Amino acid sequence: MATLVVTIVALGAIGWVAYLVGSGSRRDRRDPVPANLSASQTDDELETKRLDRTLAGAVVTAGFLTLAMPIYYLGELDRQEGFVHEFSDASLERGHEVWDEFGCGDCHGTAGGGGVAAFLEERSQVNVAGWASPALDDLFYRYDRDEARFWIAYGRANTPMPPWGLEGGGPLNTQQIDDLLNYIASWQVDQTSALLKVEGLVNGAVNRLDGSADSVSTQIAEQEALIETIRTSGETSQAASDIAGQARDLLDGAGSGIDTDGDGLSDVTETGLTAVLQEAFGAGFVATELSFDPRNAETLIGIRDAASAARAVGDLESTATSLTITFQNQEVLLEQARFGLGFLEEAASNARWEVDIGGVAQASFDGDQEAATRAISLFNSYCARCHTAGYSAGPAFQQTQASGALGPSLRDGRSLTQFLTTEDMYEFISVGSVEGVGYGVNGVGSGRMPGFGMVLSEDDLTLIVRYLRGTTLDGVEYIDGAEGGEA
């Protein structure tokens, strides 16, 4: 065997050497003579025919370039504009994805017109379902791009608005924030529409002020119901678990038996689930009452009964689990809920949301209560978010009007100390602050104070200025910063 292998290798080596020798001799026979060893062209050939051909080629090339460059240039502006639109469209698409992925519309409204957010109010430990989130469809009438970027990147502490930028500890990089800002800018309303919002906001502020006491009473009743839920969670968690177990058993056996409507649930299962889920609805364990019909494959339009049943049973199981966890932490949760109830009751007693409209009318508007009401409502609609602590969380959580929060207190004549003249104060409210730029008496702008000159009329801005300059908001009158006399 070894001899055979050696023989094959030897024959292969001999064959390879023979191939190399043969191929070398063939290459020598067919290769042309190298250029440096052959006779060259004559001077006539080099200086006439060849040179003429070269020069003619150069002239043709130059002529082509002479015509092509202007033609190319004429289309360059359109191409550049096309790239701008292409890049812009791509940025808007990415910004839309960021908006949807991170749920911006859940708080600010799907169209950016404002909405509400859920939030645990820190001082009271009460869950607030209706924290007022500002509209973003007029954002760039109030802030410039860098100022808007700051709020997105760093969020706003003590509110539902978290930091979204990497620099603030969030998930978005600079490009993503740019894309989001471009997307928000793409659906800004026109200025007329922004101005037309005023009446709705003013009416809403009036209604809120009128209904504040009732709102707090409703929250107290809800907090009392929460305490009762926690207190009875032992019994209710067991009942919910039993009902959820029955529902799960029925759903697990849904494939057995006659299925008249072919929806994936047997007729017996549909009848049984209907009874169980109605019992759960009556006990308050599910929010929607479902009644399955064995002859109809879709109890909810567009959703097969099998999917509806699975969702309903899943919700029931989640409720049972939640009640069980509540029972396991009953003592701690009761203490927290009772503390929150005490906070709400104290808020109802203090009624810090109240404003002495008559006093404001006398101090700032020569007794005109209509003007005073509008001025107060304008302040609450556009200024209270920053200058009244807790305002966005609702009447139960707000402090005395204009007592300060993110923005400084405007009480006790402080706005008169900062702005010696009406004109200075009007200008500042109209334009807002600019980072690093001075205002008033030794004020230095941070860029956080928005400008309202693009979203409020001159008359409305004047009402706000008169309101703040004519009174300390507690009935003491001023004239240009000097106490005494009529405002």
Side-chain angles (χ1 to χ4, degrees):
M1 184 66 181
T3 303
L4 178 61
V5 171
V6 171
T7 301
I8 293 173
V9 171
L11 291 174
I14 294 170
W16 177 246
V17 171
Y19 170 77
L20 292 177
V21 172
S23 62
S25 62
R26 285 194 301 273
R27 184 180 300 112
D28 291 339
R29 288 193 299 270
R30 69 169 180 267
D31 282 352
V33 178
N36 63 329
L37 298 180
S38 62
S40 179
Q41 293 176 306
T42 65
D43 290 344
D44 290 339
E45 291 174 325
L46 287 173
E47 296 177 3
T48 55
K49 296 179 181 179
R50 185 169 182 177
L51 182 60
D52 289 346
R53 287 196 302 271
T54 302
L55 292 175
V59 170
V60 171
T61 302
F64 172 78
L65 292 175
T66 301
L67 295 175
M69 291 298 290
I71 294 173
Y72 181 86
Y73 174 77
L74 290 175
E76 180 65 11
L77 293 179
D78 290 337
R79 280 191 295 275
Q80 292 296 331
E81 187 175 342
F83 283 129
V84 170
H85 289 301
E86 182 180 338
F87 294 151
S88 175
D89 290 344
S91 177
L92 293 180
E93 184 176 347
R94 293 192 302 268
H96 187 191
E97 291 173 357
V98 171
W99 175 275
D100 286 342
E101 181 179 355
F102 293 98
C104 304
D106 294 343
C107 296
H108 294 283
T110 53
V116 295
F119 187 66
L120 178 65
E121 208 279 329
E122 186 74 22
R123 295 166 299 143
S124 63
Q125 294 297 297
V126 172
N127 284 303
V128 177
W131 182 286
S133 300
L136 299 182
D137 59 1
D138 59 358
L139 176 67
F140 293 103
Y141 292 117
R142 296 177 281 120
Y143 290 107
D144 66 27
R145 190 178 179 92
D146 288 338
E147 291 166 348
R149 171 189 293 280
F150 175 87
W151 292 119
I152 293 175
Y154 292 97
R156 182 169 170 179
N158 299 317
T159 77
M161 177 67 178
W164 291 108
L166 290 175
E167 57 269 55
L172 301 181
N173 59 33
T174 300
Q175 179 67 65
Q176 288 172 308
I177 293 179
D178 279 338
D179 292 335
L180 180 58
L181 286 169
N182 289 339
Y183 176 66
I184 294 172
S186 72
W187 40 256
Q188 295 291 284
V189 299
D190 58 68
Q191 190 178 7
T192 299
S193 298
L195 289 167
L196 289 175
K197 287 184 177 186
V198 176
E199 297 308 317
L201 293 173
V202 166
N203 291 334
V206 171
N207 293 334
R208 166 177 161 145
L209 192 58
D210 292 341
S212 290
D214 291 339
S215 173
V216 176
S217 295
T218 298
Q219 283 187 294
I220 289 174
E222 291 173 349
Q223 194 71 8
E224 290 174 338
L226 174 62
I227 291 173
E228 182 62 15
T229 297
I230 297 171
R231 191 185 66 79
T232 60
S233 58
E235 297 82 3
T236 54
S237 63
Q238 185 59 54
S241 295
D242 291 343
I243 295 176
Q246 296 176 38
R248 176 55 63 184
D249 289 341
L250 286 167
L251 189 62
D252 288 344
S256 301
I258 298 172
D259 183 3
T260 301
D261 53 15
D263 59 2
L265 299 177
S266 68
D267 296 354
V268 172
T269 298
E270 293 198 40
T271 302
L273 278 177
T274 296
V276 171
L277 292 176
Q278 286 178 346
E279 181 182 359
F281 177 77
F285 298 147
V286 291
T288 304
E289 183 176 14
L290 285 179
S291 181
F292 296 109
D293 183 352
R295 297 165 298 178
N296 184 358
E298 293 183 358
T299 300
L300 302 176
I301 298 175
I303 304 176
R304 303 285 288 181
D305 279 350
S308 297
R311 181 181 301 172
V313 173
D315 290 344
L316 179 56
E317 290 174 330
S318 295
T319 299
T321 300
S322 178
L323 286 169
T324 299
I325 294 173
T326 298
F327 176 61
Q328 292 171 346
N329 297 276
Q330 187 181 56
E331 186 175 340
V332 173
L333 294 175
L334 271 177
E335 181 180 358
Q336 178 179 316
R338 286 169 178 157
F339 175 82
L341 178 61
F343 181 95
L344 294 173
E345 290 173 339
E346 182 180 359
S349 175
N350 292 332
R352 291 192 176 95
W353 60 80
E354 291 182 348
V355 180
D356 181 6
I357 297 176
V360 171
Q362 290 299 322
S364 300
F365 300 101
D366 298 324
D368 186 344
Q369 292 208 26
E370 183 177 346
T373 299
R374 184 172 182 84
I376 292 167
S377 299
L378 285 166
F379 180 88
N380 283 339
S381 299
Y382 291 91
C383 312
R385 277 182 56 80
C386 293
H387 292 283
T388 301
Y391 184 85
S392 295
F397 308 97
Q398 80 173 70
Q399 300 299 295
T400 305
Q401 189 178 52
S403 55
L406 175 66
S409 170
L410 303 176
R411 303 184 69 82
D412 302 322
R414 293 181 186 178
S415 57
L416 301 178
T417 302
Q418 186 73 62
F419 300 98
L420 299 182
T421 68
T422 297
E423 292 74 19
D424 283 348
M425 189 172 188
Y426 181 98
E427 178 71 12
F428 183 70
I429 295 176
S430 178
V431 177
S433 70
V434 179
E435 186 175 8
V437 177
Y439 65 87
V441 179
N442 296 331
V444 179
S446 65
R448 310 294 172 253
M449 167 72 182
F452 294 103
M454 300 287 283
V455 294
L456 289 174
S457 68
E458 182 178 348
D459 289 342
D460 283 338
L461 286 169
T462 300
L463 283 175
I464 293 175
V465 171
R466 288 184 62 187
Y467 172 43
L468 296 176
R469 293 190 73 78
T471 177
T472 61
L473 311 178
D474 55 11
V476 179
E477 298 177 6
Y478 285 80
I479 296 179
D480 289 333
E483 188 175 346
E486 293 184 0

